[in-house]
Every structure is written in C-alpha cells, then in structure tokens.
Amino acid sequence: GDSNDYIGKGLSGGKLIVYPPRNSSFIPEENIIIGNVAFYGATSGQAYIRGMAGERFCVRNSGVHTVVEAVGDHACEYMTGGTVVILGPTGRNFGAGMSGGIAYIYDEHGDFNERCNTEMVSIESIDDEDQNKLNKMIQNHLDYTESTVAQNLLDNWSESIAKFVKVMPNDYKRMVENIKRVTESGLSGDEAMMAAFEANKSDLARVSGN
C-alpha cells in the first residue's frame, strides 16, 4: 500500500518495494503513493516505487539505488551518491546542490531542462553503459511491482531509451574521469583513489581561479 513522509530515511541496506493494492482502480503513475522527503540520507539498499513520490525525493541520498514513476519539486537535492531512475515527470529545481551519484530521467516531452537546476550538474545523453544499467533497474522494477510503465518502456526499448537523459554532477564526473585516467596509467586500489583525488583538487583550483 501507500506510505507517508520519510519512507526509507537513512536506509542502509535491503529493499523497499511499494505498489498499490492489486484490486485498486486508480492509475499508479498518476497518483502519489509515497510522501515527501523519501530516502533522506539513505546510504545503501534498493527501492522500487510504483507510483508518484512527493517533494524532496532522495535528498542527501548517498548510496541507495531506486526507481520511481514521478517526483515532485526539489528531487535529488544535495545528493552525493547512488542512482535514481525516474520513469516520468519531475517537479522544479531538480538536482540543486547535487554533488555525486547519477539520476536518469525519462524526458518524454523534452522539457526536463526547464526544471533542472544546472548550477552543479549537467544534462547528458545516455551511453551504452547507461543503457545496460537502466534496462536492468527497470526490469527489476517490473519484476517487483508489476509496473505497466516499466513494461511499456521495455516493450519499446529502442524508442524509450532515446528519451532518457542523465543528470551528472560536474565534480563527480571529473572524479570518475580522473579515476579512469590514473587506473589506465597502472595505478590501482587506494593509490589510484588518492591520485584521482589530488588531480580532482587541481581541476577544482583551476575552475575557481585559485
């Protein structure tokens, strides 16, 4: 059944699955099934939500991987890690203060950029690695919730994937690229992470003019 505000607050493992009663007559993707500030400060685990979420979805999320069918305003605010997949519309001010993690949005009408706060993030196209990740998460969503939205997207995958966009934090992207670069140079483990961190600090200094 439905859930109130703060579902999954501080989630640190396991799976949370929310879907309407099987005999319900309303259309899940057009109705709010969980409240505001869901998964606030979550650190790990998975969540699959058949229906809409309220405002401030996944604020300060640092590690949960979740699929939801629509969200309200201020989603992914101050997010630092994890993966958020939204299979429908979003509210305004998406991704404000988002410094880590990745969000994927099904931008059916091509107007998501009007609702995204791009001060710290960029809106990018989907690559092959993203496609595989999205397909798996949406398939999980279908398996756990019997979502008709997920079913329709998977049944028309080549058309569906063309309408997804990726929200990538600028600083996180620099860090990922630095890790890849130092790994290719032969470093690994903690040594690679430290080298990437130092390279990222240098990049940030140049950006800020220091």
Side-chain angles (χ1 to χ4, degrees), residues 98-118:
M98 181 179 174
S99 61
I102 298 174
Y104 298 100
I105 317 297
Y106 182 64
D107 187 17
E108 183 175 11
H109 303 294
D111 57 359
F112 170 68
N113 63 303
E114 299 173 9
R115 296 184 297 281
C116 185
N117 185 326
T118 55

Side-chain angles (χ1 to χ4, degrees), residues 25-194:
S25 59
F26 64 83
I27 301 173
E29 62 268 27
E30 296 179 2
N31 288 271
I32 292 177
I33 194 167
I34 62 173
N36 300 319
V37 207
F39 306 105
Y40 178 88
T43 61
S44 63
Q46 300 175 43
Y48 301 92
I49 313 297
R50 185 181 180 186
M52 302 172 67
E55 296 186 357
R56 290 191 155 85
F57 183 80
C58 276
V59 170
R60 299 192 185 280
N61 169 37
S62 65
V64 77
H65 302 280
T66 182
V67 182
V68 65
E69 299 184 351
V71 296
D73 296 341
H74 312 294
C76 299
E77 192 175 33
Y78 304 118
M79 183 167 143
T80 61
T83 305
V84 171
V85 177
I86 301 171
L87 306 182
T90 74
R92 63 185 176 86
N93 199 37
F94 187 98
M98 181 179 174
S99 61
I102 298 174
Y104 298 100
I105 317 297
Y106 182 64
D107 187 17
E108 183 175 11
H109 303 294
D111 57 359
F112 170 68
N113 63 303
E114 299 173 9
R115 296 184 297 281
C116 185
N117 185 326
T118 55
E119 183 176 347
M120 293 180 63
V121 304
S122 298
I123 301 173
E124 302 183 352
S125 56
I126 302 297
D127 61 24
D128 290 343
E129 184 178 350
D130 296 320
Q131 285 197 43
N132 293 334
K133 186 175 183 179
L134 271 170
N135 188 279
K136 182 176 180 180
M137 291 186 71
I138 295 171
Q139 183 63 58
N140 286 344
H141 186 61
L142 173 61
D143 293 342
Y144 291 130
T145 71
E146 299 183 4
S147 166
T148 54
V149 173
Q151 185 71 72
N152 290 335
L153 290 172
L154 292 170
D155 286 346
N156 302 280
W157 187 242
S158 60
E159 297 175 11
S160 301
I161 196 63
K163 295 182 178 180
F164 273 96
V165 295
K166 175 169 63 174
V167 178
M168 171 66 83
N170 299 327
D171 191 30
Y172 179 58
K173 182 177 182 178
R174 279 193 296 270
M175 189 66 180
V176 170
E177 290 173 345
N178 285 328
I179 291 173
K180 182 179 180 181
R181 189 159 48 246
V182 299
T183 300
E184 289 173 348
S185 72
L187 298 178
S188 60
D190 292 342
E191 192 177 20
M193 289 298 294
M194 286 304 300

